[in-house]
């Protein structure tokens, strides 16, 4: 792997190219999970039309379609970039017949670049020219109408030369700290977009873009350089190409450094923030992305993007967001475990959502999101030594079980497939809790009967057959059932509904002694609304264990099933879901119980949480994570005496190795120190912090430790 670092003192031109472009989902509307409140992006609304130079009456040259070529909207742009203002130049637009408003009319969106604070479009079209005269009319609905005097015919391409200018969005500049056009959807472009019949848009386009910009700036775009950049004094001129992308994004920053990793057939380029700690984190992100690209390419047999760029997202959000061949990583959470997940997650969008496409109106629908999360969890499991089941329960990633349980505890709207318009009035984070987490759990549960390798084969088959084509739940179910996941259709019919509830309970246990053995009968009831299989563990008097799986079909119309087992000894205990696969409150697996406790915290169920957390610690005194959750909640409530008195935790007294043996123990120790300080014991609190400083740093808790230190010193 080659490594290229482009210094601050040189012009850094970085590009992200690929065959296709791509949360949390502003970044709230796309594919990656986003933590925190994010303002919505400007949406296309009616406003005053852009100005058109008077007397310009030309255009509509019709060129024949090139034999065998795809009929895609294409651009040849020459523009100058002013980092303080925006872009200006000329775009030769080749518009296919399918993108015309009618055979006699082309419509350009005057709100392609969004609106200013007064509601006026920030894109200004100065002229439209071509070889044939046309009539140009403004439109009160925010479009520029170009009427062809000679109607186009099916198969024709209409060429327009459009002179335009636009300005950077100052809100986006404020979020990022540098200027950026995201170009992932209408309203976020920096060049004119076409509105076809029925208000439809051409999703994927081709670009050849020549840009002039000031030397000393880093420019990261969607395209690949067609030749080395040329410098003329204080100006750099460079030409880029990008085929079959959603748009042509660009980000420009003065004096920043870029890092480029070149692998076998791919390149990863990152724009490094000026803050030293953030720059270190983004160097790590670039390396993590390169590792994930190699793994994905080996697992799926290809990687759909030849070169991928990474830019720093807003500091107030956590998560990421995919742009055309460039993705953002937000800066609110730069912990190593989270970065490993979110980087792999963003790369997954380039397979699921922007290669295999959504069958709905959503750019990244729940089904593609879920398949992407499944593969990023498999990647994390395979590269961290965990099983796939352990990875789904591990902290640091999406936290799907916790999120879904929280939504259930809060009785939230849980239907899968809501549009953005339907989601908008909801007063909770539907995107994270339902569109991401519930969807992902559903796909994960249907992968379990098949096993990871067979489910990976299902995904490979979908990708092979759906290059830039939509696939939906019906086909997904068909492929699952053909692979051996019986009942997948019935499962997803129930899982998509708002009342989806996965729950089992022990209805009765009978043990009958025989001459030389015991017959045990365990009755399991399925009160939940979702049909699925469940594992039951029988624990015998000697401690021996046996696990049996009750099939989905076995519950029948009565929703009850009897498990009968013969053994040589009496029964001591019966447990549900011993392997921790199901998001239900009575799972016997400690990781699921901890997820339930976290969900109770998020749902604001304080007193029930405190009672259950204490009960969990009484049963499992070494449960460091539950101890940290309980300590954190008591601290937030101002109940400092309870934090330091136990049984929450025992304050560390110089036994540093024990106090900071794990990350959770160390975080607990820091909270104990802060509680002691709040109670007036600043000296004792300071001694604890001094004792654990080195170990806290080793566990990547320096910032948390430092904040506690400053707080105690301030008292």
């Amino acid at each position: 792997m080659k490594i290229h670092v482009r210094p601050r003192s040189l012009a850094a031109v970085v590009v992200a190219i690929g065959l296709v472009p791509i949360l949390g989902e502003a970044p709230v509307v796309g594919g990656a999970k986003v933590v925190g409140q994010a303002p919505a992006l400007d949406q296309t609304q009616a406003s005053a039309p852009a100005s058109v130079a008077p007397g310009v009456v030309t255009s509509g040259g019709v060129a024949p379609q090139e034999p065998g070529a795809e009929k895609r909207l294409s651009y040849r742009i020459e523009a100058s970039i002013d980092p303080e203002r925006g872009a200006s130049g000329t775009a030769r637009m080749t518009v296919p017949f399918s993108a015309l408003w009618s055979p006699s009319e082309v419509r350009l969106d005057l709100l392609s670049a969004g609106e200013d604070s007064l509601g006026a479009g920030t894109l200004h079209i100065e002229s439209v020219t071509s070889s044939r005269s046309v009539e140009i009319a403004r439109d009160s609905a925010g479009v520029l109408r170009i009427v062809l005097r000679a109607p186009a015919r099916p198969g024709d391409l209409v060429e327009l030369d459009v002179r335009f200018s636009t300005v950077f969005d100052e809100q986006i500049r404020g979020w990022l700290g540098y200027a950026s056009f995201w170009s992932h959807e209408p309203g976020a472009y920096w060049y004119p977009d076409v509105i076809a019949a029925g208000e439809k848009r051409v999703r994927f386009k081709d670009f050849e873009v020549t840009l002039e910009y000031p030397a000393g700036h880093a420019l990261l775009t969607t395209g690949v350089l067609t030749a080395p950049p040329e410098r003329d004094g204080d100006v750099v001129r460079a030409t880029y190409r990008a085929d079959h992308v959603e748009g042509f994004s660009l980000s420009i920053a003065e004096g920043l450094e870029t890092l480029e990793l070149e692998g076998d057939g791919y390149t990863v380029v990152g724009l490094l923030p000026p803050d030293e700690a953030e720059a270190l984190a983004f160097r790590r992100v670039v390396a993590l992305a390169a590792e994930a690209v190699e793994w994905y390419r080996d697992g799926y047999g290809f990687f759909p993007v030849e070169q991928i760029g990474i830019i720093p997202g807003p500091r107030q959000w956590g998560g990421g967001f995919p742009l055309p061949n460039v993705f953002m990583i937000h800066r609110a959470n730069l912990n190593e475990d989270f970065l490993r997940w979110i980087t792999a997650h963003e790369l997954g969008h380039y397979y699921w959502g922007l290669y295999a496409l959504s069958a709905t109106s959503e750019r990244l629908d729940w089904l593609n999101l879920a398949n992407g999360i499944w593969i990023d969890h498999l990647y994390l499991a395979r590269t961290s030594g965990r099983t796939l089941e352990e990875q789904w329960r591990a902290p640091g990633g999406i936290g799907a079980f916790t999120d879904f349980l929280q939504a259930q505890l809060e009785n939230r709207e849980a239907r899968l497939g809501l549009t953005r318009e339907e989601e908008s009035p909801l007063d909770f984070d539907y995107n994270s809790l339902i569109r991401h987490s519930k969807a992902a759990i559903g796909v994960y549960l249907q992968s379990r009967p098949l096993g990871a390798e067979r489910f990976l084969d299902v995904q490979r088959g979908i990708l092979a057959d759906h290059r830039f084509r939509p696939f939906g739940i019906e086909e997904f179910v068909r492929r699952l059932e053909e692979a051996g996941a019986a009942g997948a259709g019935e499962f997803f019919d129930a899982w998509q509904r708002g009342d989806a509830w996965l729950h089992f309970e022990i209805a009765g246990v009978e043990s009958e002694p025989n001459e030389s053995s015991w017959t045990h009968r365990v009755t399991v009831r399925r009160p939940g609304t979702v049909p699925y299989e469940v594992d039951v563990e029988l624990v015998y008097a000697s401690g021996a264990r046996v696990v049996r799986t009750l099939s989905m079909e076995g519950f029948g119309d009565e929703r009850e099933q009897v498990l009968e087992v013969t053994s040589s000894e009496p029964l001591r205990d019966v447990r549900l879901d011993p392997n921790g696969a199901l998001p239900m409150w009575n799972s016997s697996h400690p990781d699921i119980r901890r997820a339930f406790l976290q969900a109770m915290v998020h749902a604001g169920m304080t007193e029930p949480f405190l009672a259950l957390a204490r009960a969990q610690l009484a049963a499992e005194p070494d449960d460091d994570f539950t101890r940290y959750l309980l300590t954190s909640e008591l601290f937030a409530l101002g109940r400092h005496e309870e934090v330091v008195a136990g049984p929450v935790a025992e304050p560390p007294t110089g036994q540093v190795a024990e106090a900071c043996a794990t990350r959770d123990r160390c975080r607990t120790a820091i909270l104990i120190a802060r509680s002691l300080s709040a109670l007036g014991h600043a000296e004792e609190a300071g001694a604890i912090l001094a004792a654990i400083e080195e170990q806290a740093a080793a566990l990547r808790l320096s910032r948390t430790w430092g904040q506690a230190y400053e707080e105690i010193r301030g008292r």
Side-chain angles (χ1 to χ4, degrees), residues 7-299:
R8 299 171 185 268
S9 59
L10 299 177
V13 183
V14 276
V15 296
I17 177 184
L19 301 175
V20 299
I22 158 167
L23 302 263
E25 340 181 9
V28 170
V29 298
K33 180 179 179 181
V34 173
V35 180
Q37 185 65 34
L41 289 176
D42 290 339
Q43 300 298 316
T44 302
Q45 303 290 341
S47 75
S51 59
V52 179
V56 177
V57 186
T58 55
S59 217
V62 179
Q65 175 70 27
E66 178 182 348
E70 288 191 60
K71 298 178 182 179
R72 277 201 301 272
L73 177 61
S74 64
Y75 292 80
R76 293 181 64 184
I77 299 176
E78 290 200 10
S80 297
I81 305 298
D82 180 348
E84 298 304 316
R85 181 160 178 78
S88 61
T90 301
R92 169 159 290 184
M93 302 173 61
T94 302
V95 186
F97 182 85
S98 60
L100 303 184
W101 179 264
S102 73
S104 299
E105 186 173 326
V106 182
R107 289 196 174 187
L108 300 184
D109 183 8
L110 298 179
L111 301 177
S112 294
E115 304 168 81
D116 61 21
S117 59
L118 300 177
T122 57
L123 173 75
H124 298 277
I125 295 179
E126 301 170 11
S127 66
V128 179
T129 62
S130 186
S131 60
R132 289 176 55 184
S133 296
V134 298
E135 294 179 3
I136 298 178
R138 302 184 186 188
D139 190 287
S140 60
V143 300
L144 183 67
R145 298 175 56 221
I146 303 167
V147 180
L148 309 178
R149 291 181 176 175
R153 297 169 298 177
D156 286 344
L157 299 173
V158 178
E159 290 186 347
L160 306 173
D161 290 330
V162 183
R163 186 159 186 80
F164 69 94
S165 64
T166 190
V167 296
F168 285 112
D169 187 316
E170 288 304 311
Q171 186 177 45
I172 290 177
R173 189 197 296 270
W175 292 340
L176 302 181
Y178 57 89
S180 183
F181 286 113
W182 291 346
S183 301
H184 65 297
E185 64 180 2
Y189 303 129
W190 54 276
Y191 42 80
D193 188 36
V194 175
I195 303 175
E199 302 291 335
K200 294 181 179 179
R201 305 285 180 143
V202 178
R203 183 174 182 186
F204 295 109
K205 307 120 184 171
D206 298 335
F207 291 86
E208 183 178 301
V209 180
T210 298
L211 298 175
E212 290 186 345
Y213 61 95
H217 287 68
L219 179 66
L220 194 151
T221 84
T222 294
V224 60
L225 281 168
T226 61
E230 298 177 355
R231 179 166 177 170
D232 183 6
D234 293 332
V235 176
V236 175
R237 181 180 175 87
T239 299
Y240 311 89
R241 177 186 55 77
D243 296 330
H244 204 281
V245 290
E246 290 180 303
F248 195 92
S249 68
L250 64 86
S251 300
I252 188 166
E254 183 177 9
L256 296 191
E257 187 174 272
T258 59
L259 174 63
E260 180 178 312
L261 298 186
E262 184 178 338
D264 182 12
Y266 69 89
T267 304
V268 179
V269 185
L271 181 64
L272 306 182
D275 178 83
E276 184 176 347
E278 290 180 350
L280 183 63
F282 272 80
R283 286 177 179 272
R284 182 62 180 143
V285 168
V286 173
L288 289 170
E291 293 173 10
V293 167
E294 288 191 0
W295 189 90
Y296 278 23
R297 183 193 57 193
D298 292 343

Side-chain angles (χ1 to χ4, degrees), residues 340 377-388 390-391:
R340 288 192 76 239
H377 276 53
L378 183 64
Y379 161 72
L380 293 175
R382 295 279 171 87
T383 56
S384 64
R386 295 188 180 111
T387 66
L388 185 57
E390 288 170 340
Q391 184 59 53

